[in-house]
Every structure is written in C-alpha cells, then in structure tokens.
Amino acid sequence: MDAQGRGRAGDIDPADQWVLNPHTGEYELRLTPSAPQSGIPGPRRSAPSPNRAGAPAGRTATPVTPGRAVPPPRRRRGAPPEEPLPGRRGRRPVKKKSTAKKALLWTGGTMAFVLVAAAGGGYLYIRHLNGNITSVSDDGASTGGFQSDKAINILLIGTDKRTGAGNGSYGDKNSVGHADTTILLHVSKDRTNATALSIPRDLIVDVPDCETTQEDGSTKVIPGTDDVRFNTSLGQDERTPSCTVRTVTELTGIQADNFMVADFNAVKTLTTAVGGVEICLAKDIDDEDSKLKLSKGTHTISGEQALAFVRTRHSVGFGGDLSRITLQQQFLSALMRKLKSNDTLTDPTKMIKLAEAGTKALTVDSNLDSIGKLKDLGLELGKLNVKNLTFTTVPVVDNPTEKVKATVVLNNATAPTVFDMIKNDVSFTEVKKKAGASKSAEAAEEAARLKGTKSAASEVRVRILNGGAAAGSAQAELEYLQNEEGVLKSENAGNADAALSRTTLEYAPDQADQARRLADILGLSGAQLKPGKSVTNSQGLPTMTLTLGKDFKGAGVSFTTATKAPEGVQQSTADKVECAK
C-alpha cells in the first residue's frame, strides 16, 4: 500500500505554526486567522469560561485539552494577589521534561519508520497525525500487539515501491512493492538490550499460505510457494505485509507482535526532517545506478542523496545485497544517533517535522493504528540504550544449486543459534547489571541442581514422554540416547497427560547423580530439573521421567541456549561510528 501522497500541495507546514506559550512553558499550535482556530489556549486573552460568574452570554469558552495547564485569568485591578498553588513559585508553571518527546525520539530512532506526536501537541494536532497514518489488517499473522511486560518483536519492512518524484530512477519502475529491506527488531523483556536482524531479500525461503483481508471485508487465501526469494513474500500475487510476517515466523520461529511498512520516500523525508545524517566512507563512491557520488570521509546527507546512499551496492563491499545491508545498518545507526542528539531533542520544529514525516511515510498493522498506540510503544523503546542495540544479519551461504550466484540459503550451522538467542531473549551485547544486583534464591537453587557427581550414562534410567513436541519426538530422542550416548536403560512411554511449553526432567533425591548426567548430555538447565519422585518403568524399576515440551528442537539438539553469537556472525552496535568500505 502506498503510504504517500496524502498531503495537499500548498499546505502550510505545521512546524511553522507552533509557538511557545509563556504561561504553560509548552509549544502550541497557532493557525492563521483564516483557518479554523486551535482549541489550545494561546497567549492572547482567552474567552471567559461559562463556569465563571458573570460570563457574557453567547460567548464560547476555549476548549481545554485534557492534561494541559490553562493560563489563569488576569487579576482585576485592585484585587489582592492570588496565592500560588502548593509547591509552585508564583503562577508560572514548573517546566517538566517531556516523556512524549522521549517517546518520539525512540520510536523515530528505532528504525526511522515509527514516529509519534510530541512537543506539547494538542488534541487537534493529535487528530491530524492520526489522519496521516495508514493501517492494514494483520490477518491474524501477528501476536495481536506488543505488551509492556513482555519482550517485543516488531517487523520493519521497507518496500521498493517507486512513488514520489525521482524515485522511478531506482530499479524496476513498475515494482508492486516487494519486501526490499526487512528487519526483525527484538527488544528484550527487561528493555536493557535489543537485536535488529536483517533478512536478505534474496534469501531462498518457503512462503506459506496467507489469508488476507480484501477491500470489501472478505478474506482470500493466497497460496504459498516453496524455494522462492524472500522479497516475494510481499507484493507478489497480491501478498500483503501479513504474508511477510508469516514468512518470517516460518523462517525464524519468531512471531512478530506488530509490523510497520515504509517505501522509498521514508528515507528522504525523515532525513530531511532531522536536518541530515552524518555518514562515513572509507573510500570514494561513484555508483551510476544509484546516482551516488561521494568522496572518502564524512558527509551529512539527506533527502535524495540519503536514499541513494541506502540503495547503493555496486561501490561497496562485494557489490551485492549483503553489502548493501551492512551499509543500511550503518545508516540507521547514524540516524538513531542523530535522533538521540540534543540538537534534535530540544528543537520543537524538528520534532514536529519528524512526527509529520513519520506518520505520512508509515503503514502499520491494525493493532498499531493510532498515535496513542505508537506513543505507548515509544515509551517502551525509550528505555533502551543504543549501545546495547545490535545489528546483525541472518547467517547465509551462497545457493549451492546456482552456477551464477544470485541467491543465498540459510547457513544451517549458525542461523538456528541466532534465531534461538532472539527467541530466548539473549542479548548479543554484554549488558552490565545494575549495582547490587545478585542472583535470586530461586536462581541459586536451580544452579545448585547441576553441581555434584554424575553417574555413568549406562546407569541412567529414564522414560521419555511426548508433552507437546512434534509427533515421533519421544522415539527419536530415545534412539539418540541409546545409539549415540549409551543411555541404554531408557524407554518410550508415549504421550504425557498435558502439553508443556518447556521440557522437564523429574527425579527422586537418590537419582540426582543420574539427573545431572542426563542434563549434561541434553543441555538441560537447572530450571528444567524438577526434584520430585520416581516412577516405575515397564520392568518395575524406579526411573526418572523426561517430558519433551514444545521447546524440543530435534533428537540430539541441545536445550542449552547460546549466550553469545556463533563465530563469524556479523554484528555492530548502534552507538559506534563505522565507515562504509
């Protein structure tokens, strides 16, 4: 869907109509005399309130925006001075740091696509910004929306749709809008860290069947296709962003809470709104395709030049899409640093222009379709420090079936670990704990279960139940333990009475050494070991019970979550300045 072109030629820039109200210390909308007047009180004398004694008939009181301080009426000549409100010096309100500004900063800084109203915006302006936003159905592909007490996963999709002046010079002028740049942003539950995972557009994936909502409200299932480029998950065969969400879930096992889509114009308008972004080049760039020509060193780019920068690929790295991804990550890091800088935060004009540009450039899912919802997301993201935001890319290798290398496939040696780290909320950067933080008594007890002697594998007696894993998992794990690990005193006990989200091992006190050995073999954590009682196996002997939960990944696959990214996985953090090579 085209998120552009909703403004009218000749519209007055809203940023030029905001002035400081000396009574409230906040910026307020001032429209021209011929335009409809704002409901926000201005520095001129307000109309008398209908609640005041002696209000003239026929006069309309100035509407009050909820939560906004209203300038007090002028004191009549000769009247005694009014007492200041408790905790206040005189009648001038105390200025407070705006959390709304912080929300705008970080929603904008997250990936340059999400922006919310800020800088003292009143009701009319909020309504105006709501009108800028385009939303489409998530078709049940997402979780239904982010939650403040859980980790957040947002799918950010940049399409190659060529709308707007000058954009036709980039690639296919007739593109339906494929998933050209896709980033899965994961923000940890405790908000101390985040991971931005880029998904190559030329990655070969299976696109699943996708139910989509039509304009008339009916639904249509678009058949999936196997072994196709990832970017065809959007636009191709009328696929909507929800189809891209389903494809990412199929690929990574991670379901997005929300999605956001922007086309080429987003880069141009957002960089212009902040007054340009500083980038660094390790060499000269002269790319005829993207029309980018810059010398080695640092440059401040915006508008058309910024778009050319994120579109260039032939003059950087190996000249392919993976090199362009690295360039885009460096650009987004620079944009975030600019958004976090004081010259952006303290400039109301820039903040308002950001809100205008962001909401016009943005298409969101139906669970994130208002400024209020975007603000709530911004407040969650505002808790994050950019030094703990890691950019990385899905690990891939060249497609072995191609003689001329044009596409890539998953690197099965490292990609599963990257996906698991994100699913299990493991940071890609080292996050320092707050002073005084220590392990809880429960965590210490869980860790203690793994310490002590371990019996020989041949002495481990265990029965295996399937408690939510794929059909046949208990038998597959049994064969692995017997054939690969020498745990011969084991048996398949069928299905558990109830499904579990996490695999557990229950054992009696006198089986602790057996439990520690099996935990060592399977990579079970102390939290997965459940001291309890033993049961009898088919031979009437006491045995432990291993119940495979929904987290079971396959026979012989360790349950231990990696604590750092595999060797060779590309990483960079948003706080560091890197020069494109």
Side-chain angles (χ1 to χ4, degrees):
M1 179 177 290
D2 180 8
Q4 310 302 320
R6 285 188 290 273
R8 296 189 303 274
D11 282 351
I12 299 174
D13 186 349
D16 296 331
Q17 303 177 66
W18 286 73
V19 297
L20 179 68
N21 185 331
H23 296 291
T24 65
E26 296 184 347
Y27 286 83
E28 300 172 351
L29 188 62
R30 294 284 180 270
L31 301 180
T32 59
S34 60
Q37 293 302 302
S38 167
I40 307 170
R44 292 173 294 187
R45 172 175 275 177
S46 303
S49 167
N51 293 327
R52 288 169 51 196
R59 297 282 293 276
T60 303
T62 304
V64 178
T65 302
R68 176 180 293 281
V70 180
R74 296 177 183 267
R75 181 166 56 90
R76 289 176 295 174
R77 183 176 300 174
E82 295 177 351
E83 288 295 324
L85 295 175
R88 303 281 289 275
R89 293 184 178 179
R91 286 155 41 198
R92 186 179 182 89
V94 177
K95 295 174 68 174
K96 296 181 179 180
K97 187 174 182 179
S98 171
T99 55
K101 285 186 181 181
K102 189 174 183 181
L104 173 59
L105 160 70
W106 244 106
T107 16
T110 300
M111 224 35 66
F113 300 149
V114 192
L115 288 148
V116 297
Y123 168 72
L124 292 179
Y125 192 57
I126 296 295
R127 187 172 64 178
H128 163 71
L129 291 178
N130 277 330
N132 286 347
I133 299 173
T134 297
S135 66
V136 294
S137 175
D138 78 333
D139 299 311
S142 72
T143 65
F146 76 93
Q147 297 182 44
S148 60
D149 59 345
K150 294 183 179 180
I152 297 175
N153 293 300
I154 307 292
L155 190 65
L156 306 161
I157 308 170
T159 78
D160 59 358
K161 196 172 182 65
R162 275 76 172 160
T163 60
N167 291 337
S169 62
Y170 297 100
D172 181 8
K173 298 180 182 179
N174 301 315
S175 173
V176 294
H178 294 112
D180 194 57
T181 301
T182 304
I183 296 175
L184 178 63
L185 175 68
H186 171 84
V187 184
S188 67
K189 181 179 178 179
D190 62 8
R191 309 295 187 251
T192 62
N193 64 91
T195 303
L197 179 69
S198 293
I199 303 175
R201 67 174 192 177
D202 296 327
L203 174 62
I204 297 300
V205 298
D206 294 339
V207 177
D209 293 345
C210 181
E211 182 178 289
T212 61
T213 302
Q214 305 300 297
E215 291 185 2
D216 61 2
S218 63
T219 58
K220 172 184 176 182
V221 176
I222 300 175
T225 51
D226 294 342
D227 298 326
V228 293
R229 279 180 166 89
F230 174 82
N231 69 339
T232 61
S233 64
L234 178 64
Q236 198 81 4
D237 300 324
E238 300 182 338
R239 292 188 178 111
T240 62
S242 65
C243 299
T244 305
V245 173
R246 296 183 196 278
T247 303
V248 170
T249 302
E250 182 93 359
L251 173 69
T252 66
I254 303 164
Q255 186 177 21
D257 299 307
N258 297 98
F259 65 76
M260 306 169 190
V261 186
D263 64 19
F264 280 174
N265 281 339
V267 174
K268 295 164 64 173
T269 57
L270 288 168
T271 53
T272 300
V274 297
V277 172
E278 187 176 276
I279 53 93
C280 178
L281 300 178
K283 63 178 182 180
D284 296 345
I285 288 184
D286 188 357
D287 191 334
E288 293 183 1
D289 288 340
S290 70
K291 309 296 189 296
L292 181 67
K293 187 173 182 179
L294 290 173
S295 60
K296 175 182 177 180
T298 58
H299 300 269
T300 299
I301 59 175
S302 64
E304 195 72 35
Q305 196 174 44
L307 177 58
F309 181 81
V310 299
R311 292 296 303 163
T312 194
R313 59 174 173 166
H314 298 302
S315 299
V316 293
F318 295 103
D321 186 54
L322 295 179
S323 297
R324 180 165 60 183
I325 285 176
T326 301
L327 198 71
Q328 291 169 347
Q329 291 174 347
Q330 293 169 0
F331 171 81
L332 290 170
S333 295
L335 179 56
M336 290 180 200
R337 292 192 296 271
K338 181 61 179 285
L339 285 164
K340 198 172 180 63
S341 65
N342 286 333
D343 67 336
T344 299
L345 265 182
T346 58
D347 188 331
T349 299
K350 284 184 180 179
M351 298 292 282
I352 295 164
K353 286 183 177 179
L354 275 169
E356 287 287 332
T359 51
K360 287 180 180 178
L362 184 66
T363 297
V364 299
D365 69 85
S366 48
N367 299 305
L368 198 62
D369 59 356
S370 72
I371 289 298
K373 294 175 182 177
L374 288 171
K375 181 207 71 174
D376 290 341
L377 176 60
L379 291 174
E380 292 302 318
L381 300 178
K383 301 170 184 176
L384 177 66
N385 190 320
V386 293
K387 71 178 182 180
N388 293 328
L389 168 58
T390 302
F391 283 96
T392 189
T393 304
V394 172
V396 295
V397 294
D398 287 333
N399 191 339
T401 65
E402 296 176 336
K403 291 184 179 180
V404 178
K405 304 303 180 184
T407 62
V408 293
V409 296
L410 274 186
N411 183 338
N412 290 317
T414 54
T417 301
V418 170
F419 299 155
D420 283 346
M421 288 179 67
I422 295 175
K423 279 189 288 187
N424 290 287
D425 208 18
V426 177
S427 176
F428 279 63
T429 59
E430 184 178 353
V431 181
K432 293 183 178 180
K433 294 183 179 180
K434 294 181 179 180
S438 60
K439 286 186 177 181
S440 65
E442 182 180 4
E445 182 181 349
E446 291 171 354
R449 294 171 193 165
L450 298 173
K451 297 178 181 179
T453 59
K454 303 180 182 71
S455 67
S458 59
E459 296 302 316
V460 173
R461 186 179 290 111
V462 62
R463 65 179 194 138
I464 306 171
L465 296 173
N466 189 332
S473 294
Q475 183 61 32
E477 188 77 331
L478 172 69
E479 293 175 358
Y480 164 75
L481 288 174
Q482 291 183 341
N483 298 331
E484 303 294 332
E485 299 293 345
V487 183
L488 302 179
K489 297 177 181 179
S490 51
E491 65 181 30
N492 182 354
N495 293 324
D497 294 333
L500 300 178
S501 60
R502 196 177 193 189
T503 296
T504 62
L505 175 64
E506 184 175 3
Y507 58 97
D510 61 349
Q511 296 172 317
D513 55 345
Q514 295 183 47
R516 286 190 285 267
R517 173 56 66 192
L518 193 59
D520 185 59
I521 292 173
L522 299 180
L524 297 171
S525 68
Q528 290 173 286
L529 270 58
K530 303 295 181 184
K533 60 183 181 179
S534 65
V535 295
T536 55
N537 62 12
S538 58
Q539 299 174 332
L541 299 173
T543 183
M544 300 185 296
T545 300
L546 176 68
T547 305
L548 304 179
K550 295 179 181 178
D551 60 341
F552 179 73
K553 305 178 185 70
V557 178
S558 176
F559 286 93
T560 300
T561 301
T563 57
K564 62 179 182 179
E567 193 72 25
V569 173
Q570 170 263 330
Q571 299 180 68
S572 63
T573 52
D575 64 318
K576 295 179 181 177
V577 178
E578 297 190 22
C579 296
K581 300 177 181 180

